[in-house]
């Protein structure tokens, strides 16, 4: 095998969202030669196995759920006829469309600026890339590590072979399974588990923790747990999970929180047991980077994306901080700009935290959520209960609750936790309001159409306004029915 060497301004490890954005930004900000290195297939986690196929599956599940719910509106009660092969065919067809648009843009990158192979550090600014044509030694002025994350599968589960699914493999199934045990009740486990259940798959979601994902406050935790335990077979606080392959699937057993032992035979087990940053292959210790006990670099600054005192920048899921798409893009941007400018590195303002789960109902968290001890002091909270909100009742999605937090002294909105009808959109309104440093009175002075779920936000804001004593006079339209 031959060894060649390359000298570049910026080398980027990983052609996911963060890496692709970093490349574009590095070029725009003065780097002449930028090398993009990808070890696996191109197409990004988001398009191939993440956001897009999962939301396609959820869209099918929502269609099935709408048919089941139709009788409430006086429309002939119907059980949806679910063609599992057709459901998966659409997921794959549309997913392939998203992937091919990524492949198209990767295809436009000149070949001499791309390498296909796994990269590892051999010095502070030197990499070795194992390509099929041999090893390539890369020397760079700065390096962006955008190596993403991968599903973490507990060792005993690996023995299940093809009966074990992860988010990397589930979207390849030719048809929907008959039954599945989803191990892990985090964002991915709940989203996929609930969608499969709505699509008629006998689904049990098992979580060893007792908390629901995203939500912080105790009351939102209980609200979410009660709601989801009624909608899906969700069992939290389980222990002693075991899975053994049998002729027709997998025999799973576990101990419930109430000490009862349960078992079932399922066609597949879906391991939704978290994702881990892909650090192992990188040999970061050879870059003179100080590592913690889990192999993560110490001294990472999330405003510059730089690892202190190095020419190395991290971006995207590899940071282990905000594993969502828009943050991977934002971090890729900062890392790309700073890698091009290195050593003249600048700090950037980060977005307000925003995370959404596309469950039914949606869950979301925005901004800063105070701990219990913070609530009585500088914070106040306003609530809306969707059960009697006008628009939510009209569309028969009157479930859940939202809590909005504001700074008591100056009235700015600081954060929110939401479960309810299409709160994916309300979470955005609040994130934008927080980024613009909007106060509660300013938010209340905005127009609210009637009847819309946004009026529910106004209810919570009005409550907050009364608490912080900064509320404007009520507007006549505040008095529409069911707001
Ligand atoms: C099922 C699922 C659903 C999701 N849903 C959402 C959602 O609805 N909304 C949302 O915002 N986010 C969602 N996410 C998260 C989102 O997909 C990720 O946050 C985002 O894709 C991360 O992008 P990235 O660039 O950091 O990593 P990636 O896109 O994973 O790119 C990293 C790349 O680096 C390559 N690589 C790794 N190591 C090396 C090496 N040593 N040498 C060369 N190449 C290497 C990998 O092969 C990979 O291609 C979801 C994720 C999953 C799994």
């Amino acid at each position: 095998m031959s060894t060649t060497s390359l000298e570049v301004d910026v080398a980027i490890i990983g052609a996911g969202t963060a890496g692709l954005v970093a490349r574009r930004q590095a070029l725009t900000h003065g780097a002449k030669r930028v090398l993009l290195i990808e070890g696996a297939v191109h197409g990004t986690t988001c398009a191939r196995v993440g956001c897009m196929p999962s939301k396609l599956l959820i869209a099918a599940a929502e269609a099935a759920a709408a048919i089941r719910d139709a009788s409430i509106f006086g429309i002939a009660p119907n059980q949806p006829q679910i063609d599992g092969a057709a459901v998966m065919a659409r997921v794959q067809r549309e997913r392939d469309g998203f992937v091919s648009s990524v492949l198209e843009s990767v295809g436009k990158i000149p070949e001499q600026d791309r390498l296909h192979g796994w990269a590892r550090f051999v010095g502070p600014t030197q990499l070795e890339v194992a390509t099929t044509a041999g090893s390539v030694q890369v020397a760079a002025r700065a390096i962006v590590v955008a190596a993403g994350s991968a599903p973490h599968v507990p060792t005993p589960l690996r023995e299940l072979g093809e009966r074990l699914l992860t988010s990397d493999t589930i979207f390849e199934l030719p048809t929907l399974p008959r039954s599945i045990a989803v191990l892990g009740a985090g964002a991915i486990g709940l989203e996929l588990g609930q969608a499969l259940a709505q699509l008629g798959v006998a689904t049990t979601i098992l979580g060893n923790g007792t908390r629901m994902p995203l939500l912080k406050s105790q009351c939102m935790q209980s609200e979410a747990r009660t709601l989801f335990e009624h909608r899906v077979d969700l069992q939290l606080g389980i222990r002693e999970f075991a899975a053994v392959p049998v002729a027709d699937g997998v025999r799973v057993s576990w101990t419930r929180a109430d000490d009862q032992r349960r078992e079932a035979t399922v066609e597949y087990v879906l391991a939704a047991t978290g994702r881990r940053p892909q650090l192992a292959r990188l040999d970061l210790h050879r870059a003179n980077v100080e590592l913690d006990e889990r192999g993560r670099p110490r001294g990472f600054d999330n405003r510059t994306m730089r690892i202190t005192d190095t020419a190395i920048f991290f971006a995207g899921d590899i940071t282990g901080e905000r594993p969502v798409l828009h943050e991977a893009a934002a971090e890729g941007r900062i890392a790309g700009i700073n890698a091009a400018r290195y050593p003249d590195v600048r700090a950037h303002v980060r977005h307000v935290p925003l995370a959404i789960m596309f469950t039914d109902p949606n869950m979301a968290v925005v901004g800063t959520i105070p701990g219990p001890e913070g609530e009585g002091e500088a914070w106040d909270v306003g609530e809306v209960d969707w059960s009697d909100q006008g628009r939510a009742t009209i569309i028969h999605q009157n479930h859940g609750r939202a809590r909005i937090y504001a700074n008591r002294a100056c009235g700015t909105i600081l954060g929110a936790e939401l479960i309810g009808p299409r709160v994916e959109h309300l979470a955005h309104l609040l994130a934008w309001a927080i980024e613009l440093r909007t106060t509660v009175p300013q938010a209340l002075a905005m127009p609210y159409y009637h009847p819309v779920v946004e009026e529910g936000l106004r209810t919570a804001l009005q409550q907050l306004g009364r608490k912080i004593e900064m509320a404007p006079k009520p507007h006549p339209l505040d008095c529409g029915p069911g707001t």
Side-chain angles (χ1 to χ4, degrees), residues 337-368:
I337 293 173
N338 277 335
R341 295 172 59 99
Y342 178 80
D344 178 17
V345 166
R346 302 235 168 124
H348 290 243
V349 176
R350 297 298 306 267
H351 286 309
V352 56
L354 167 65
I356 295 170
M357 280 176 56
F358 295 83
T359 43
D360 173 18
N362 290 174
M363 293 198 266
V365 67
V366 191
T368 314

Side-chain angles (χ1 to χ4, degrees), residues 13-18 37-40 45-46 49-51 54-55 117-119 146-148 167 188 275 278 282 316-317 323-325 328 358:
I13 305 178
T17 304
I37 308 163
E38 174 54 58
T45 290
C46 170
V49 292
C51 330
S54 60
K55 267 75 258 181
W118 297 104
S167 53
I188 293 176
R275 291 177 67 82
Q278 303 207 76
L282 293 169
D317 280 11
V324 287
L325 189 279
F358 295 83

Side-chain angles (χ1 to χ4, degrees), residues 10-89:
V10 176
I12 296 171
I13 305 178
T17 304
L20 289 170
V21 174
R23 177 186 171 274
R24 220 167 27 242
Q25 292 298 325
L27 286 169
T28 312
H29 287 80
K32 294 273 175 294
R33 179 89 205 267
V34 179
L35 182 70
L36 183 65
I37 308 163
E38 174 54 58
V41 280
H42 281 281
T44 76
T45 290
C46 170
R48 268 192 195 284
V49 292
C51 330
M52 303 315 255
S54 60
K55 267 75 258 181
L56 283 161
L57 190 76
I58 289 169
E62 286 173 347
I67 293 172
R68 280 195 200 93
D69 272 4
S71 60
I72 201 91
F73 300 99
I75 294 165
N78 258 327
Q79 277 306 311
Q81 310 263 306
I82 295 165
D83 176 344
V87 167
M88 292 311 291

Side-chain angles (χ1 to χ4, degrees), residues 11-352:
I12 296 171
I13 305 178
T17 304
L20 289 170
V21 174
R23 177 186 171 274
R24 220 167 27 242
Q25 292 298 325
L27 286 169
T28 312
H29 287 80
K32 294 273 175 294
R33 179 89 205 267
V34 179
L35 182 70
L36 183 65
I37 308 163
E38 174 54 58
V41 280
H42 281 281
T44 76
T45 290
C46 170
R48 268 192 195 284
V49 292
C51 330
M52 303 315 255
S54 60
K55 267 75 258 181
L56 283 161
L57 190 76
I58 289 169
E62 286 173 347
I67 293 172
R68 280 195 200 93
D69 272 4
S71 60
I72 201 91
F73 300 99
I75 294 165
N78 258 327
Q79 277 306 311
Q81 310 263 306
I82 295 165
D83 176 344
V87 167
M88 292 311 291
R90 177 174 190 266
V91 168
Q92 289 156 10
R93 190 171 61 246
E94 297 297 337
R95 184 264 326 257
D96 291 348
F98 295 123
V99 171
S100 55
S101 74
V102 178
L103 295 182
E104 205 178 303
S105 60
V106 172
K108 289 181 186 150
I109 301 173
E111 268 191 31
Q112 69 272 18
D113 294 342
R114 286 187 261 153
L115 269 186
H116 191 231
W118 297 104
R120 64 188 188 99
F121 281 87
V122 289
T125 51
Q126 292 84 37
L127 300 172
E128 185 176 272
V129 184
T131 73
T132 47
S135 155
V136 181
Q137 304 291 319
V138 179
R141 267 195 324 108
I143 296 175
V144 175
V145 179
S149 61
H152 164 68
V153 179
T155 314
L157 287 187
R158 295 194 192 135
E159 286 168 19
L160 296 178
E162 62 184 21
R163 294 288 173 186
L164 173 70
L165 299 172
T166 67
S167 53
D168 279 358
T169 53
I170 191 166
F171 305 114
E172 292 305 325
L173 289 177
T175 188
L176 288 168
R178 287 185 305 282
S179 57
I180 196 160
V182 178
L183 193 57
I188 293 176
L190 263 187
E191 276 192 357
L192 295 182
Q194 189 185 33
L196 291 168
Q198 287 175 323
L199 287 165
V201 179
T203 306
T204 301
I205 307 173
L206 302 168
N208 57 7
T210 52
R211 288 183 69 79
M212 298 292 287
L214 292 192
L215 306 164
K216 300 275 189 302
S217 65
Q218 199 43 53
C219 71
M220 291 300 276
Q221 277 286 325
S222 331
E223 181 87 25
R225 194 166 166 172
T226 311
L227 258 170
F228 283 91
E229 281 175 347
H230 273 94
R231 285 161 175 251
V232 278
D233 181 7
L234 169 66
Q235 301 184 30
L236 295 181
I238 68 122
R239 46 188 212 281
E240 293 152 6
F241 178 85
V244 183
V246 290
D248 49 350
V250 185
R251 191 85 192 133
V252 287
S253 56
W254 65 95
T255 304
R256 283 166 45 113
D258 61 8
D259 288 335
Q260 288 184 45
R261 191 84 191 144
R262 285 291 149 88
E263 58 176 33
T265 299
V266 290
E267 197 177 347
Y268 290 103
V269 170
L270 170 66
T273 33
R275 291 177 67 82
R276 299 265 164 94
Q278 303 207 76
L279 290 160
R281 276 201 185 89
L282 293 169
D283 284 355
L284 272 168
H285 60 278
R286 299 188 67 183
N288 293 346
V289 173
E290 200 191 328
L291 303 175
D292 68 13
E293 57 295 340
R294 289 157 73 183
R296 295 171 307 188
R298 290 189 200 277
F300 168 64
D301 178 348
N302 65 12
R303 296 164 319 137
T304 59
M305 310 314 290
R306 183 182 175 198
I307 311 292
T308 319
D309 296 332
T310 72
I312 301 171
F313 299 82
F314 268 39
D317 280 11
I318 189 78
T319 65
E321 288 202 346
R322 297 184 180 188
V324 287
L325 189 279
H326 73 284
E327 291 289 1
E331 293 174 358
R333 178 175 169 274
I334 302 171
I337 293 173
N338 277 335
R341 295 172 59 99
Y342 178 80
D344 178 17
V345 166
R346 302 235 168 124
H348 290 243
V349 176
R350 297 298 306 267
H351 286 309
V352 56

